[in-house]
Amino acid sequence: MDPLPTFSTKPRRAAKGFTLLELLVVMVIIGLLAAYVGPQYFGVVSKSEVKAARAQIDAFDKALVAYRLDVGAFPPTQAGLAALIEAPAGARNWSGPYLSKGLPKDPWGQPYQYAFPGKHGAYDIWSHGRDGRPGGQGDDVDIGNW
């Protein structure tokens, strides 16, 4: 007579790791979350860049007023906003620099534009927005002190 097979009373240890199906389900869930959250996140980022540009233009406004009080006039277009950092030729009573951290670029890495006299006021300061070109709509719209 053949001996009966013996069965262990210890539970068998399951194989470690995840099945392909489990991994696919997790990847689909992550993809759905990214598709939902991504556009909202990038919308907030573009709004913050516009707010940063407006804040920098406001700082330029204040610095230009201080410049005008000292020198007697706003800097000419040729001198540009650099006149807030270094005295332009012929600027009497210049007491700058009028910006504490140098001349910043706009949030998209482009220099701000300046014109005196301006089309919209005594002077104009503007950024061409995300696309770096005049005009535009949405995130590409020009941002100015007008």
Side-chain angles (χ1 to χ4, degrees):
M1 209 170 152
D2 290 332
L4 293 173
T6 58
F7 295 101
S8 172
T9 58
K10 294 181 188 177
R12 267 183 97 180
R13 220 171 154 185
K16 292 184 180 181
F18 298 103
T19 66
L20 181 60
L21 182 61
E22 291 169 330
L23 290 174
L24 288 174
V25 168
V26 169
M27 289 174 62
V28 166
I29 291 171
I30 290 172
L32 289 172
L33 287 173
Y36 177 73
V37 174
Q40 293 178 350
Y41 172 74
F42 290 114
V44 170
V45 170
S46 67
K47 287 179 187 175
S48 67
E49 289 171 336
V50 170
K51 286 181 182 179
R54 291 193 192 283
Q56 287 175 330
I57 289 172
D58 186 51
F60 286 135
D61 280 333
K62 291 178 173 103
L64 284 167
V65 168
Y67 178 97
R68 185 185 60 130
L69 289 173
D70 289 344
V71 177
F74 292 114
T77 301
Q78 297 81 6
L81 295 172
L84 300 173
I85 304 300
E86 295 181 18
R92 295 182 167 189
N93 300 327
W94 188 88
S95 300
Y98 297 95
L99 295 172
S100 61
K101 297 183 179 181
L103 194 61
K105 293 191 174 193
D106 71 13
W108 302 276
Q110 302 296 321
Y112 282 96
Q113 306 297 311
Y114 170 77
F116 174 75
K119 293 179 183 176
H120 304 282
Y123 58 87
D124 291 344
I125 307 168
W126 71 96
S127 164
H128 287 303
R130 184 181 68 180
D131 65 352
R133 293 184 300 217
Q137 296 177 352
D139 293 339
D140 297 334
V141 71
D142 294 350
I143 302 162
N145 65 332
W146 53 86

